[in-house]
Amino acid sequence: MSDRHARRLTSIGLGVILAAGLGGRADALPRYGPLELAGSVAAYQLIRHPDIDQYSFIMQRNTVLLRTDLSLIQSGRMLDQVDVPWIKQARLYALYRGVYDSVYDYTPGFNQKNIWGNKINLNLSDLGNSTRDRYKWENRLREAYIDVDLADAPLNFRIGRQQIVWGETDNFRMLDRVNPLDLTWHLQQETWDQLRVPMWMIKGMWRTGDLDFIPYVPMRDTFFEWYWNPGDWYPAKKQFLPRPWSAPILDPFKDPSTPPAGGRGLFNILNNLTPFDVNSLYKGTKLFRQGDYSRSIKDNSQVGVRFSAATGTDFPLLPDGLNFTLNYFYGRWNGGDDGTNAAVFKGILDPRLALQALKRGEAPVEAISPYMHTIGFSANYAEEEYTQTVFRMETIYEMGVPFLDTSKQFPSRGAWSVLSKDIYGVSKRDMWKGMIGFDRPTWIRLINPKSTVLILGQFFWHRLLNNPDVECNDPNEGLPCPISGQGKGFRGQFSTSGIATTGIPGRGVWIDKIRDWELLATLTATSFFRGGKFVPFLVYIIDPVNSYNQEVMWFADYFITNNFILNLSQRYFINTSTRPAFETWGVGGLNRGRSETGIKLTYTF
Amino acid sequence: MKRLAILLAIVFTAVTAGADVQPGDVITKDNLDKARALLSPGIQWCVEHGLIIKVVAPKKVEWPRAYRDATEAYSSQVKLSAQRDLLENYVAGMPFPNIDPNDPEAATKIMWNYQYKPLLTDDVLMRDFQVPSGPLTFTAPMELDREFMVGDLRRLYYNGRLFVDPKPELPNPDAVRYKEILSPLVAPFDMKGVGALDIRYISAARQDDNWLYVPAIRRVRRMSTAQRSDSLFGQDTDQDSYWGFSGHIAWSDWKLIGIKDELGVLHRENYRAQRCPGGADFVFCDNWEKRKVYVVEGTSKLPQYAYGKRVLFLDTEAWVVLHSDIYDKRGELWKIWIEYFTYRKQSNPGSKIVYEDEMGFTSAEMIDTQMQHATLIMIPGPASPDQETWYFNKGANAVSPYASGNVEDVFTVPHLISAGH
């Protein structure tokens, strides 16, 4: 699409928002017989202010959402014309999203720093046209599926491109793991129905009702739910600088910048040291996209199943009305969109295979997304008598999470020694993750005499089992091992040997330590004011493990009319130290310098 | 003694003669005194702010025959439990058809009768209704803060059933009184798809269970129901105020203030409730009739309840709340709930469903007199293309695009999940 056409589209979109949105009465149901149509048009601006006197326009994202619901079969008749056997009800659902982010056209200048605190000296204008076109447009039928209820069995299916969300957490990834996240345009700082990547899947539910067959263990409202993704799966989408909301590093393979911030991408290093033209990863694998497998039913299927129930009267040891689920997943590793500092690639350390790769123009590094088993449990309970609070919890046990293992490296002498501090093999470990949380509607009449303030708290942990100690190759050298390099222990994604960042051995060396425990706490408050016209949120997040880095966020929806919404937001990322905080959750460490103000206008119809 | 009785009669007549209305009278703020004694303080406030009351002759509201028969068969065995929080030996029909105003338990028995009223016995489906809310200026039409369009609101009763098998009770191991599901909200787009499931139990010791499907997080969320006087989505309504009172009877203390004549709406002329013109469009204008009501005052026992008390004006024949006045903790009028019923066998002249008995089709509203704000509930709303928006006691035949009937399967968390987008 040409720039002129794109700008016209933006103007039309904004014009629609301004002109039509000021009306506001909901004069008609959005239903036309069996068909419902609805949607929204939004213009979303982000202004980054890393310091009090620094401002950068980093996003101007225009989004169109179009939704259709079609009641195809009702009471066994299609569109009230034809009898359909075996099916009681069927509904079609489709959601289209079109996006145009104009910053990739007019490329406002702004400077960013990487996680080690170095300016990257790269702007959006340094990206090629085709790259910017890829980033600025989205034109996608996001979701399209059919819901089918069978007539004579308590079974229903959802077949098509969809999102599947299990679990009890708000914006954290444990049981909510079926769809990977698109972390490229605002990291994880959006409602996840906008960030999850919908996939072609089949989901089924078997409603088994009240179960009393186990003596003294009555269960109510039980069901089994399962899904199968027959190959349409990708890992989490991530990007690198200079995209404003990316991982805070330049591309470690194709780094186009110059020292001290970069210029030492692996491909550059290999091209300088070898006679080969290295421009891809091992066997054509693509980081954050495709490992060494085909996207087929046999090679790329993902499955999951859960059982859900509520405790009935006189359930032993547990109160009545406690909801719980038991979950199992078998699928590929999502690539760490849950805050795990895991490996997304591994080194090919066999010198013979590594040489063959180089001859093919491939770096001896392979993007990986190994299969793993995960089991999980979740529960919620409304304790109304003493605390008037809903308590919820969720926990998973993951088997075989991959980590870069520095005990697996190229020999420190010989031809491959130059890669011995950059490329490592992978070892797998189990992890235990969990959350406990509460929701409490609370009267604070000084703030709001008419509505309660809903207070939500969550506490998360990640526990890595059998985490080896970190040591240097030279046992007499201390961390961060600037001379001999790390020789034992797992290596986080932001570790650097120094060559990668400064080009000078021993300088700019960091060890991103992978900890036994990672913890996070969140607190949110919201209420309704002015008859629901004004809805603010206040969010506080703290990571007590990584230098107490924090995020404070507020945002508010103001309904100018019933259909025209102004959303204002601010995010502040707070660090207690000037040293890099290699936190994994996406709070103040990862997002240092990314404090921002957001202004969003939305017209719904 | 005879002289005293005559004197009292004269005094009584004098009092009511000054406050009597006749069919054909139109009550406005200019002649409010004529009807003041027949109007609660809340309704008086409405008249003072523009409500126009057209008085018509009262019409009898008959009970459904099955309900009458059940009352005759079973009411004699019904007792209040020792804690007055439960009915013992209740099967169906009205628990206490003969109320003695001098009975110290009169108020509680009235409220239990209201709980098991003739109108709602087996199940109900209300479709396509609009819920606008906004501030009041009284000089111009109500501005709109928010307006929700509700696709389906369904309720399924587990006991006291009379029309749809199984009768009189569904299999009920958890002693459920009813389950209610609102799913989905159809508009506006930012709320589209929201659904809620609520379970009320027979036992007062067990709070309601409630779940909410939230489209933004794509999952069902467990909600606390302890704060029953909390406004819903910031509008003026709260969980306990629907139908006039929706809480569990045993969660409040009740006092019978008296029995009196009161104007109320039981035979609305317009199927789609018509808002009064101009600055009074926060109320509906239609036919009001003189009714005999129980005036019952309720004080919640729940902690941190927002309201000081609510005064219900409960029709002695139809056993529905005509309106209620809600007071704050200082004893000042805060909110007014008004029901606008129309009892008929067909919801509207074009309706395909003709009931054997007259059913009560209603619209309602909540007015916040202190914040000068109102929320209207219009069933059907003016935007609904479909005339057929009420289904009483239709069981599996209460079908809509969103659910396959008022059957147990629909009133479940799995249904909320599978209906969620």
Side-chain angles (χ1 to χ4, degrees):
Chain A
M1 192 179 293
S2 70
D3 283 351
R4 197 175 65 176
H5 192 71
R7 288 193 185 97
R8 187 184 299 166
L9 195 65
T10 310
S11 307
I12 291 169
L14 289 170
V16 165
I17 290 171
L18 287 169
L22 293 171
R25 275 203 92 88
D27 282 339
L29 276 173
R31 190 184 301 133
Y32 310 94
L35 181 69
E36 283 179 36
L37 296 171
S40 69
V41 179
Y44 190 7
Q45 285 67 230
L46 288 178
I47 301 156
R48 179 171 287 175
H49 35 81
D51 212 334
I52 193 126
D53 58 348
Q54 296 172 27
Y55 297 90
S56 309
F57 209 10
I58 63 164
M59 187 172 91
Q60 199 288 305
R61 184 179 166 97
N62 304 282
T63 307
V64 170
L65 289 173
L66 295 172
R67 170 176 165 167
T68 59
D69 300 63
L70 175 65
S71 182
L72 196 61
I73 298 172
Q74 196 171 309
S75 301
R77 283 180 70 76
M78 182 184 290
L79 299 174
D80 212 23
Q81 302 292 322
V82 175
D83 285 332
V84 177
W86 308 311
I87 296 176
K88 184 165 60 181
Q89 232 172 348
R91 280 176 75 82
L92 280 171
Y93 171 87
L95 180 71
Y96 166 83
R97 187 169 79 183
V99 174
Y100 167 62
D101 190 340
S102 66
V103 290
Y104 293 101
D105 269 335
Y106 66 87
T107 59
F110 53 91
N111 220 323
Q112 303 184 78
K113 291 182 182 176
N114 59 27
I115 196 167
W116 305 290
N118 303 318
K119 285 189 182 174
I120 64 167
N121 295 321
L122 270 184
N123 276 313
L124 296 181
S125 51
D126 293 311
L127 299 170
N129 283 342
S130 62
T131 303
R132 283 191 280 127
D133 275 350
R134 239 182 19 250
Y135 295 162
K136 75 185 173 194
W137 291 116
E138 179 185 306
N139 178 22
R140 185 166 295 146
L141 185 62
R142 253 178 88 70
E143 294 175 64
Y145 53 80
I146 182 166
D147 281 336
V148 177
D149 278 16
L150 297 189
D152 298 316
L155 283 168
N156 59 273
F157 298 94
R158 177 168 288 182
I159 304 164
R161 194 172 161 88
Q162 60 187 285
Q163 299 184 35
I164 296 174
V165 182
W166 293 352
E168 295 284 339
T169 64
D170 294 328
N171 280 23
F172 277 86
R173 308 276 284 169
M174 278 188 277
L175 294 176
D176 175 10
R177 63 196 295 119
V178 180
N179 299 82
L181 295 181
D182 178 355
L183 300 170
T184 60
W185 60 274
H186 204 188
L187 216 62
Q188 87 282 38
Q189 309 277 355
E190 291 289 327
T191 56
W192 285 8
D193 68 316
Q194 295 299 313
L195 295 186
R196 285 189 206 90
V197 180
M199 301 196 146
W200 293 98
M201 296 188 274
I202 299 169
K203 184 179 81 159
M205 181 186 280
W206 175 28
R207 299 181 303 279
T208 39
D210 294 347
L211 296 179
D212 291 304
F213 62 88
I214 304 174
Y216 310 114
V217 183
M219 289 183 283
R220 303 280 169 255
D221 234 11
T222 67
F223 65 90
F224 287 90
E225 194 175 25
W226 66 92
Y227 71 88
W228 173 38
N229 181 332
D232 178 37
W233 181 89
Y234 292 105
K237 286 173 77 170
K238 296 181 187 176
Q239 276 289 332
F240 299 108
L241 296 170
R243 278 199 89 175
W245 268 105
S246 60
I249 55 173
L250 292 162
D251 189 329
F253 300 110
K254 294 185 269 187
D255 177 4
S257 68
T258 54
R264 305 299 300 173
L266 182 66
F267 294 174
N268 298 342
I269 294 172
L270 290 171
N271 288 338
N272 288 339
L273 294 176
T274 72
F276 308 112
D277 182 18
V278 176
N279 53 31
S280 65
L281 295 182
Y282 190 66
K283 288 193 177 174
T285 57
K286 290 189 171 61
L287 195 62
F288 309 134
R289 190 71 184 156
Q290 179 84 41
D292 185 20
Y293 50 84
S294 65
R295 284 170 45 75
S296 65
I297 290 176
K298 180 172 163 295
D299 258 2
N300 203 27
S301 279
Q302 332 277 321
V303 294
V305 62
R306 68 170 175 169
F307 170 72
S308 173
T311 55
T313 307
D314 297 328
F315 195 97
L317 300 177
L318 295 174
D320 298 348
L322 183 144
N323 282 123
F324 66 90
T325 69
L326 302 167
N327 305 256
Y328 168 76
F329 303 86
Y330 182 66
R332 292 190 176 277
W333 172 241
N334 258 344
D337 60 0
D338 68 340
T340 304
N341 203 345
V344 292
F345 56 80
K346 68 175 185 185
I348 306 301
L349 303 177
D350 181 331
R352 185 179 55 87
L353 293 175
L355 182 60
Q356 285 173 1
L358 287 175
K359 288 177 178 175
R360 294 194 300 264
E362 298 168 0
V365 171
E366 178 186 337
I368 58 170
S369 299
Y371 271 105
M372 46 195 286
H373 299 274
T374 305
I375 55 174
F377 173 82
S378 73
N380 66 63
Y381 180 67
E383 200 294 300
E384 307 286 19
E385 192 177 348
Y386 300 105
T387 62
Q388 298 93 46
T389 301
V390 170
F391 295 98
R392 48 195 170 94
M393 63 82 61
E394 182 172 324
T395 186
I396 59 170
Y397 189 86
E398 293 174 318
M399 296 170 228
V401 180
F403 291 93
L404 285 175
D405 187 348
T406 58
S407 67
K408 298 178 180 178
Q409 55 179 262
F410 281 111
S412 55
R413 292 183 210 285
W416 297 99
S417 63
V418 70
L419 299 177
S420 65
K421 291 181 195 159
D422 284 313
I423 296 178
Y424 300 94
V426 151
S427 291
K428 292 182 182 178
R429 289 291 187 274
D430 293 353
M431 288 193 77
W432 172 46
K433 299 173 180 174
M435 181 278 298
I436 52 173
F438 69 89
D439 304 339
R440 190 179 195 277
T442 306
W443 283 108
I444 308 176
R445 293 185 211 274
L446 208 60
I447 294 174
N448 193 343
K450 210 172 150 178
S451 291
T452 56
V453 177
L454 180 62
I455 300 175
L456 309 112
Q458 300 183 113
F459 176 74
F460 297 88
W461 67 87
H462 281 183
R463 168 83 167 114
L464 172 58
L465 304 173
N466 300 315
N467 185 14
D469 292 334
V470 173
E471 289 179 19
C472 305
N473 276 311
D474 178 355
N476 297 317
E477 191 181 14
L479 300 182
C481 316
I483 308 299
S484 66
Q486 187 181 348
K488 280 188 187 166
F490 292 158
R491 185 174 172 88
Q493 54 198 317
F494 299 123
S495 295
T496 167
S497 63
I499 292 177
T501 50
T502 66
I504 300 170
R507 259 187 74 180
V509 178
W510 297 98
I511 288 188
D512 174 9
K513 197 166 179 293
I514 298 199
R515 292 180 174 70
D516 293 355
W517 288 95
E518 295 281 359
L519 306 172
L520 193 78
T522 69
L523 194 65
T524 303
T526 181
S527 188
F528 292 93
F529 294 85
R530 295 248 352 241
K533 208 168 163 74
F534 178 62
V535 187
F537 283 79
L538 185 60
V539 183
Y540 175 70
I541 305 171
I542 184 166
D543 173 356
V545 171
N546 296 285
S547 307
Y548 293 93
N549 73 94
Q550 302 154 57
E551 180 177 353
V552 178
M553 197 184 340
W554 70 263
F555 51 96
D557 285 331
Y558 180 71
F559 293 85
I560 301 170
T561 69
N562 195 45
N563 297 97
F564 192 30
I565 310 163
L566 171 66
N567 174 278
L568 296 174
S569 62
Q570 283 198 315
R571 293 174 169 79
Y572 289 96
F573 298 100
I574 301 166
N575 286 275
T576 59
S577 162
T578 53
R579 289 172 60 81
F582 298 123
E583 53 93 6
T584 59
W585 303 102
V587 192
L590 212 66
N591 296 319
R592 184 192 296 261
R594 291 178 169 180
S595 298
E596 65 182 13
T597 297
I599 304 167
K600 187 174 178 184
L601 287 165
T602 307
Y603 173 66
T604 67
F605 52 88
Chain B
M1 194 63 183
K2 194 173 175 181
R3 279 189 193 158
L4 180 62
I6 294 168
L7 185 63
L8 281 171
I10 292 168
V11 168
F12 179 77
T13 307
V15 166
T16 55
D20 202 7
V21 296
Q22 301 299 324
D25 285 351
V26 176
I27 307 300
T28 67
K29 59 185 174 190
D30 298 322
N31 62 349
L32 175 57
D33 284 340
K34 189 174 180 185
R36 198 178 284 279
L38 298 170
L39 299 172
S40 73
I43 303 299
Q44 290 177 39
W45 184 96
C46 293
V47 174
E48 286 160 3
H49 290 86
L51 170 63
I52 299 168
I53 292 179
K54 244 181 1 179
V55 181
V56 299
K59 285 193 238 175
K60 192 167 171 51
V61 174
E62 296 280 0
W63 291 358
R65 181 176 301 188
Y67 187 88
R68 212 169 47 233
D69 293 344
T71 303
E72 282 170 20
Y74 301 116
S75 63
S76 59
Q77 68 192 43
V78 180
K79 289 189 178 68
L80 274 179
S81 66
Q83 286 78 33
R84 298 180 301 158
D85 61 353
L86 213 57
L87 295 180
E88 292 174 357
N89 308 320
Y90 178 78
V91 176
M94 182 149 291
F96 307 106
N98 303 306
I99 297 289
D100 175 3
N102 297 315
D103 181 351
E105 307 290 356
T108 304
K109 287 180 178 176
I110 287 167
M111 292 309 297
W112 278 111
N113 284 348
Y114 165 75
Q115 169 69 249
Y116 287 95
K117 53 185 164 288
L119 177 61
L120 298 171
T121 58
D122 291 46
D123 60 82
V124 64
L125 163 62
M126 292 163 269
R127 295 197 55 219
D128 284 353
F129 54 100
Q130 273 170 264
V131 187
S133 64
L136 311 178
T137 62
F138 310 114
T139 53
M142 192 173 101
E143 289 175 18
L144 195 66
D145 277 346
R146 296 239 63 190
E147 182 168 34
F148 302 128
M149 311 271 203
V150 180
D152 276 6
L153 175 61
R154 297 169 179 268
R155 189 181 277 193
L156 177 70
Y157 287 92
Y158 273 64
N159 67 340
R161 296 169 60 84
L162 296 168
F163 298 96
V164 182
D165 286 326
K167 300 176 287 203
E169 193 162 350
L170 280 162
N172 204 0
D174 289 327
V176 171
R177 168 62 183 134
Y178 66 75
K179 294 183 181 179
E180 184 172 277
I181 188 163
L182 183 155
S183 177
L185 277 184
V186 174
F189 185 68
D190 62 292
M191 296 287 283
K192 190 173 175 70
V194 167
L197 172 68
D198 190 78
I199 299 179
R200 164 68 52 79
Y201 297 94
I202 292 172
S203 166
R206 195 158 172 192
Q207 262 285 356
D208 289 1
D209 283 325
N210 184 275
W211 294 264
L212 189 69
Y213 177 78
V214 183
I217 61 173
R218 297 291 180 108
R219 66 176 179 84
V220 171
R221 204 186 179 96
R222 189 79 177 264
M223 305 296 289
S224 169
T225 55
Q227 304 303 341
R228 304 193 58 80
S229 56
D230 190 13
S231 68
L232 296 171
F233 298 118
Q235 294 191 314
D236 304 289
T237 52
D238 56 90
Q239 290 178 78
D240 266 1
S241 292
Y242 291 105
W243 298 97
F245 180 72
S246 273
H248 195 293
I249 303 306
W251 295 338
S252 295
D253 289 319
W254 301 100
K255 186 163 69 178
L256 178 63
I257 304 297
I259 304 171
K260 70 186 285 279
D261 288 337
E262 179 82 6
L263 287 171
V265 181
L266 270 182
H267 293 94
R268 203 174 77 225
E269 186 179 5
N270 299 295
Y271 173 55
R272 291 179 194 261
Q274 297 295 314
R275 296 166 75 168
C276 292
D281 74 335
F282 64 93
V283 281
F284 300 116
C285 278
D286 214 297
N287 297 334
W288 293 60
E289 58 195 81
K290 200 193 301 184
R291 309 289 306 179
K292 192 76 71 187
V293 300
Y294 293 112
V295 183
V296 180
E297 180 183 291
T299 308
S300 178
K301 299 179 199 172
L302 298 174
Q304 297 190 306
Y305 207 71
Y307 307 134
K309 66 180 180 188
R310 60 176 84 227
V311 179
L312 310 180
F313 295 83
L314 215 158
D315 190 86
T316 58
E317 193 170 67
W319 289 93
V320 294
V321 171
L322 297 178
H323 38 265
S324 73
D325 293 349
I326 301 169
Y327 294 82
D328 64 20
K329 299 278 192 186
R330 294 181 308 240
E332 291 177 17
L333 181 68
W334 183 0
K335 295 186 182 178
I336 309 157
W337 179 274
I338 311 175
E339 293 276 349
Y340 298 81
F341 279 98
T342 179
Y343 272 82
R344 38 178 100 172
K345 290 187 179 180
Q346 262 179 306
S347 61
N348 69 90
S351 172
K352 291 181 195 148
I353 302 174
V354 181
Y355 294 92
E356 198 180 302
D357 307 294
E358 286 190 338
M359 308 306 291
F361 307 94
T362 189
S363 287
E365 63 175 319
M366 180 75 107
I367 302 162
D368 186 328
T369 64
Q370 294 180 7
M371 303 290 270
Q372 313 233 305
H373 202 271
T375 299
L376 281 63
I377 303 168
M378 300 184 283
I379 316 171
S384 167
D386 198 347
Q387 295 278 38
E388 215 71 82
T389 58
W390 281 91
Y391 299 78
F392 285 99
N393 307 323
K394 293 297 176 192
N397 294 322
V399 175
S400 78
Y402 308 114
S404 53
N406 281 341
V407 293
E408 282 191 272
D409 215 20
V410 165
F411 297 83
T412 59
V413 170
H415 176 80
L416 262 192
I417 292 169
S418 57
H421 300 285

